[in-house]
Each structure stands twice: as structure tokens, then as C-alpha cells.
Amino acid sequence: MIVATPVTEEGQSAHAWGRAHWVGVADVRDGDVADWTVHEVRWDESHDAGTHGSHHARVVRFLKEQGVEAVVVDHMGEGMARMLHTMGIPILAASPGDARESILAATAR
């Protein structure tokens, strides 16, 4: 399962999805992270640069390019949550600390 989560520069769980600067993408197999890549998406910078629709389109493009099947996060705006629901991408609860551990905990539930 390909899972995305907002991360800090240090690899910790970050607070918000739509204003994330970095997003970690994990390939979770057999209860472990088989592959981990951190992308500098800069959504914190681009969030207010245009309309909500253009921002959501950037996020959708990223999710599709990465093949994301679930998002692990502790905060997301209502519009973004609706968009992910429409895409059939579940939103799983994040936990503080190491972002990879947060993904493993969320996908194990």
C-alpha cells in the first residue's frame, strides 16, 4: 500500500496536509516500510498563491503521480478531506513522532 504523510525536515510527523512543505511517501508491505521517499512539495508556499481549486489540483496531481492509496495526517481542511473522499483515498489518523512509525501504526489499525 502506498501511503503519504506530511513530514518535517527531520522526518517527524508534521501537522497539516494542505500546507505541508515535505510529504513522505511509503510503500508499506507486510507491516513494514519497504520504501520511503520524502518529496519537497512546498504546499505551504503555494497554498495561497492561487485558488483553492488550483491548490487541490496540485495535490491531486501529486497523489496520482505517486500512486497514493491512503493519507496519514492529524489535520486537514474540509474541502481537502472531501476531495480525498471523492478520490476514494482514506484518511488515517497520524501519531506524533517518527513519520514512518506513524504510517505503520495507522495502517495496522
Side-chain angles (χ1 to χ4, degrees), residues 9-33:
E9 190 172 9
E10 297 79 25
Q12 301 294 299
S13 291
H15 175 63
W17 173 254
R19 293 182 186 264
H21 191 85
W22 292 278
V23 172
V25 177
D27 182 359
V28 178
R29 291 186 224 157
D30 300 322
D32 200 11
V33 174

Side-chain angles (χ1 to χ4, degrees), residues 10-58:
E10 297 79 25
Q12 301 294 299
S13 291
H15 175 63
W17 173 254
R19 293 182 186 264
H21 191 85
W22 292 278
V23 172
V25 177
D27 182 359
V28 178
R29 291 186 224 157
D30 300 322
D32 200 11
V33 174
D35 189 42
W36 173 255
T37 306
V38 175
H39 302 267
E40 188 173 18
V41 293
R42 297 181 182 211
W43 295 337
D44 55 337
E45 297 170 10
S46 63
H47 185 274
D48 297 325
T51 66
H52 276 80
S54 64
H55 180 62
H56 288 188
R58 272 189 293 277

Side-chain angles (χ1 to χ4, degrees), residues 2-4 17 59-60 63-64 67-72 76 80-92:
I2 306 298
V3 184
W17 173 254
V59 174
V60 167
L63 294 171
K64 287 184 176 184
V68 172
E69 300 169 89
V71 170
V72 174
M76 180 180 295
M80 187 72 70
R82 217 177 10 257
M83 181 193 74
L84 289 177
H85 177 74
T86 299
M87 292 177 71
I89 296 176
I91 301 166
L92 308 175

